Amino acid sequence: MNEPRPPAPVLDPPAPGAEEDPGTGHRVPRRFWSARRVPAGLAALLLAAGAGLLLYDVVAVRAGHPAMDWRRRLADGLATRPLDDPAVLVGAGVAAALGLLLLVLALTPGRRGLLPMRTPDPDLRVALDRKAAAMTLRDRAVEVSGVQSVRVRVRRRRVDARAVSHFRDLDEVRGDLDSVLTEGIDHLGLARPPSLGLRVRRPGRKG
């Protein structure tokens, strides 16, 4: 029986920097970072629109025209409303939430669907898609005798496999699955091989 081939990796341009795995002492490529073009574009668009509108109003006032009604009302509200006013608190909460969201987007890598792989060249970054990795491990697991169905979920640090066995002893099926999936995880070539969480059960009764 032919052995399942690992899914094609995702290549990325060279990127500086790698961290050392304390367990092996080898250099491990960093996670892939998302460019997040949509949030960055929306933030830049909103800032540009607000700055342009404010600049237009300031220029109009300097030219002798009255200030826009929204700016007068905003200035009066900021000058007269107390700090514990509900509208002020709601506005401050929304602004703080948006600022926190932008900080989280800026400081987290994103692209959680890509798992870094081991490479002989430190300047080359290769990644494997989580769904492709889960499909490869599932194809290996269903070939084990006694396995009726398998669900595999691949996370950053853990692979969760849930199998249903309709014959053979459960301990024997569990042992075979553990060996097959452990070998399959190693063959994926991930920079940080995840641990395996395995559960085997009998199919539920119908009716």
Side-chain angles (χ1 to χ4, degrees):
M1 185 177 296
N2 295 331
E3 181 178 332
R5 295 183 179 179
V10 178
L11 300 179
D12 204 48
E19 54 186 357
E20 185 171 320
D21 188 351
T24 62
H26 298 298
R27 304 293 286 179
V28 178
R30 294 184 182 274
R31 291 178 56 191
F32 284 63
W33 281 72
S34 173
R36 291 195 171 97
R37 295 182 177 87
V38 174
L42 290 177
L45 182 62
L46 290 176
L47 288 175
L53 185 61
L54 182 61
L55 179 61
Y56 172 81
D57 191 43
V58 171
V59 172
V61 171
R62 293 291 183 180
H65 298 283
M68 291 184 178
D69 183 64
W70 67 268
R71 194 158 74 93
R72 292 198 304 267
R73 287 190 287 107
L74 179 62
D76 292 340
L78 292 176
T80 57
R81 288 180 182 270
L83 295 179
D84 58 350
D85 186 88
V88 175
L89 295 178
V90 171
V94 171
L98 291 177
L100 181 61
L101 175 62
L102 293 177
L103 285 176
V104 170
L105 292 177
L107 298 177
T108 53
R111 303 188 73 174
R112 300 180 60 86
L114 296 180
L115 301 172
M117 300 178 65
R118 297 190 299 266
T119 58
D121 186 354
D123 293 330
L124 178 65
R125 294 201 306 163
V126 186
L128 187 63
D129 183 77
R130 287 192 189 191
K131 293 182 179 179
M135 186 179 301
T136 299
L137 295 176
R138 178 187 175 279
D139 290 342
R140 286 176 173 269
V142 295
E143 294 181 356
V144 174
S145 177
V147 173
Q148 182 180 16
S149 62
V150 184
R151 290 191 306 170
V152 178
R153 183 178 181 183
V154 178
R155 303 181 182 181
R156 282 187 59 204
R157 302 296 177 90
R158 183 180 175 88
V159 173
D160 292 323
R162 302 291 181 263
V164 176
S165 175
H166 56 301
F167 70 92
R168 291 184 67 197
D169 183 72
L170 289 182
D171 291 335
E172 294 180 359
V173 176
R174 186 180 296 106
D176 291 345
L177 280 174
D178 184 81
S179 300
V180 168
L181 292 177
T182 299
E183 181 182 4
I185 292 173
D186 184 65
H187 284 179
L188 292 177
L190 299 179
R192 288 181 173 176
S195 61
L196 175 62
L198 177 61
R199 187 173 66 184
V200 183
R201 63 177 179 86
R202 293 294 187 194
R205 294 183 178 180
K206 298 182 178 180

